[in-house]
């Protein structure tokens, strides 16, 4: 099966797309990844066929302060830009990242079935949940349900505006105004991070986190037998700033060792009890007692899969939602706003209470309760041919 996988350059979206390509290739399919420049060489080195995703650069008329316009208008533009390359490879299926909706639009224009990849829990609105992003658990009782209903009404205007913007963008590239949506949705998360909803879409499949290590290097940890605290600064532009610097100041003299896993250049003046750089995170997690991270989905899922509890320092985007889901599950403590004292107290709380590690291990035990993403993709392609 020839599959085009389309994802933008943000690590939280490109890395799951690469992981899916590797799964498809291992199963005997022929995936081609369309993504940003940053990931072209790493993906090639991993054995994946790649193409540059055209249309990513902002245009003068783009309004990046309007999230709906940014997603939908640029998606229409990207669909036009990649249409020739996509058409030339004659895909039998397109998988399009949820934030790179141009892949799905291009597939529609070519009359090719497509699947949406969500590298996080399902964030569609639900009649049984408070708005996604609030970080709240579903309300209980009459007052709780009334609270959720009022919050959904307050966000309804923005949702309707986004749907109008999507319709306008679709009509602008010759598609019907009404979006039929993908044939299937790959929800690439741990079941422990999902929440029950009464209106779960029939075409949404929880397939487990799609993880890939962008390096083969191993990062040395500081010597000693003190608990190892792994710091993973957010790769998202909305992540909390100054996490590593604050953590080093907060944990000085706390009787721990620190290792910071980061894509960017590490600081040069680290104390003797700390190390930082690019290294395989799965190897670091094997020795870590706690992870301090922004609660972006990729790092949070990695930590919980390894049974390691988390101190979550959420920034913007969906990090607040994810941090609170992990906290309700029992595997995380949330620190917001970030401060030395709050971070130190949270790390000591997690290290001193085994219930956090036990909850993380329970989260890891939900990993087998997922579907195979390759099987879902093949079923969509087969249905389109029948």
């Amino acid at each position: 099966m020839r599959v085009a996988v389309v994802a933008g350059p943000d690590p939280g979206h490109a890395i799951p797309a690469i992981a899916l390509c590797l799964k498809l290739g291992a199963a005997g399919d022929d995936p081609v990844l369309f993504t940003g420049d940053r990931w072209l060489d790493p993906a090639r080195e991993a054995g994946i066929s790649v193409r540059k995703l055209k249309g990513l650069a902002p245009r003068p008329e783009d309004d990046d302060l309007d999230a709906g316009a940014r997603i939908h208008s640029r998606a229409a533009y990207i669909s036009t830009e990649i249409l020739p390359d996509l058409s030339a490879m004659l895909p039998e299926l397109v998988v399009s990242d949820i934030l790179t909706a141009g892949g799905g639009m291009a597939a529609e224009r070519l009359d090719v079935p497509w699947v949406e990849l969500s590298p996080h829990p399902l964030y569609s609105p639900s009649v049984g949940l408070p708005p996604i992003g609030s970080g709240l658990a579903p309300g209980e009782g009459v007052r709780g349900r009334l609270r959720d209903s009022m919050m959904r009404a307050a966000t309804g205007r923005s949702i309707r505006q986004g749907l109008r913007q999507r319709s306008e963008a679709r009509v602008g590239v010759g598609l019907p105004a009404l979006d039929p949506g993908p044939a299937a949705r790959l929800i690439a998360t741990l079941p422990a991070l999902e929440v029950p909803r009464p209106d779960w879409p029939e075409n949404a499949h929880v397939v487990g986190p799609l993880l890939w290590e962008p390096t083969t290097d191993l990062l040395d940890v500081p010597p000693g037998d003190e608990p190892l605290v792994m710091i993973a600064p957010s790769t998202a532009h909305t992540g909390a700033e100054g996490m590593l610097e604050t953590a080093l100041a907060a944990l000085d003299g706390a009787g721990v060792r620190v290792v910071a896993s980061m894509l960017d250049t590490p600081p040069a003046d680290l104390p003797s009890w700390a190390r930082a750089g690019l290294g395989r995170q799965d190897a670091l997690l094997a020795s870590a007692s706690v992870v301090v991270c922004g609660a972006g989905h990729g790092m949070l899922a990695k930590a919980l899969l390894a049974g390691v509890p988390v101190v979550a320092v959420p920034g913007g985007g969906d990090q607040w939602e994810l941090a609170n889901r992990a906290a309700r599950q029992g595997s995380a403590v949330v620190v917001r706003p970030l401060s030395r004292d709050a971070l130190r107290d949270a790390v000591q709380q997690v290290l001193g209470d085994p219930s956090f590690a036990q909850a993380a291990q329970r989260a890891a035990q939900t990993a087998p309760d997922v579907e195979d993403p390759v099987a879902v993709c093949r079923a969509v392609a087969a249905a389109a041919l029948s």
Side-chain angles (χ1 to χ4, degrees):
M1 181 174 66
R2 293 184 303 281
V3 186
V5 179
V6 182
D10 184 281
H13 295 264
I15 286 177
I18 291 172
L20 179 61
C21 286
L22 291 173
K23 284 183 175 291
L24 289 163
D29 294 316
D30 183 17
V32 175
L33 176 66
F34 290 77
T35 191
D37 289 336
R38 179 180 186 178
W39 300 102
L40 297 182
D41 287 341
R44 287 193 190 99
E45 291 169 5
I48 299 170
S49 297
V50 293
R51 303 284 189 277
K52 180 178 178 177
L53 178 56
K54 299 175 182 176
L56 287 173
R59 301 166 296 168
E61 64 267 30
D62 288 336
D63 180 5
D64 279 358
L65 296 178
D66 185 332
R70 182 176 70 245
I71 291 174
H72 304 307
S73 174
R74 194 169 296 168
Y77 175 63
I78 287 174
S79 77
T80 298
E81 290 293 294
I82 68 172
L83 202 61
D85 289 341
L86 204 60
S87 179
M89 70 166 284
L90 297 174
E92 297 163 76
L93 180 73
V94 172
V95 178
S96 186
D97 175 78
I98 191 168
L99 286 187
T100 317
M105 286 189 183
E108 275 193 77
R109 294 171 70 177
L110 292 173
D111 197 24
V112 173
W114 72 282
V115 170
E116 183 179 79
L117 172 57
S118 296
H120 47 58
L122 179 64
Y123 288 159
S124 300
S126 168
V127 297
L129 300 178
I132 300 299
S134 68
L136 295 171
E140 298 181 355
V142 174
R143 289 186 177 181
R145 291 192 293 273
L146 178 61
R147 178 207 68 183
D148 291 354
S149 177
M150 293 177 65
M151 292 181 69
R152 288 194 298 269
T155 58
R157 179 180 177 182
S158 295
I159 292 172
R160 290 190 295 273
Q161 179 181 349
L163 292 175
R164 286 194 298 270
Q165 289 169 328
R166 190 173 185 87
S167 293
E168 291 170 2
R170 289 173 55 83
V171 170
V173 292
L175 291 172
L178 182 61
D179 186 358
R185 293 178 168 90
L186 303 179
I187 311 301
T189 192
L190 268 174
L193 290 174
E194 265 299 354
V195 291
R197 57 172 71 200
D199 47 2
W200 183 270
E202 291 186 5
N203 70 344
H205 307 267
V206 177
V207 299
L210 291 169
L211 306 174
W212 172 71
E213 295 288 341
T215 182
T216 58
D217 294 342
L218 298 177
L219 187 60
D220 291 334
V221 301
D225 55 7
E226 297 88 351
L228 183 65
V229 180
M230 178 178 169
I231 313 292
S234 176
T235 59
H237 71 278
T238 55
E241 295 183 3
M243 183 189 299
L244 177 56
E245 295 79 5
T246 303
L248 291 172
L251 299 176
D252 190 6
V256 299
R257 297 171 295 149
V258 167
V259 61
S261 168
M262 51 198 308
L263 291 172
D264 298 327
T265 302
D269 54 345
L270 293 172
S272 61
W273 45 272
R275 300 285 188 276
L278 178 61
R280 290 188 64 96
Q281 292 180 330
D282 53 358
L284 296 175
L285 285 166
S287 303
S289 297
V290 59
V291 172
V292 179
C293 65
H297 183 265
M299 192 64 241
L300 181 61
K302 278 186 179 181
L304 296 184
L305 277 172
V308 181
V310 168
V311 171
V313 186
D318 64 348
Q319 294 183 5
W320 177 249
E321 176 74 31
L322 289 166
N324 280 281
R325 289 191 184 193
R328 290 198 299 272
Q329 191 268 336
S331 58
V333 172
V334 180
V335 173
R336 190 173 179 181
L338 175 62
S339 71
R340 294 182 185 182
D341 290 345
L343 187 59
R344 183 185 180 104
D345 290 347
V347 169
Q348 291 179 334
Q349 181 184 357
V350 171
L351 291 175
D353 185 346
S355 69
F356 291 100
Q358 292 164 1
Q361 291 159 10
R362 290 195 300 273
Q365 291 167 2
T366 68
D369 302 328
V370 298
E371 298 183 60
D372 177 9
V374 175
V376 175
C377 289
R378 287 179 171 177
V380 169
L385 294 174
S386 62

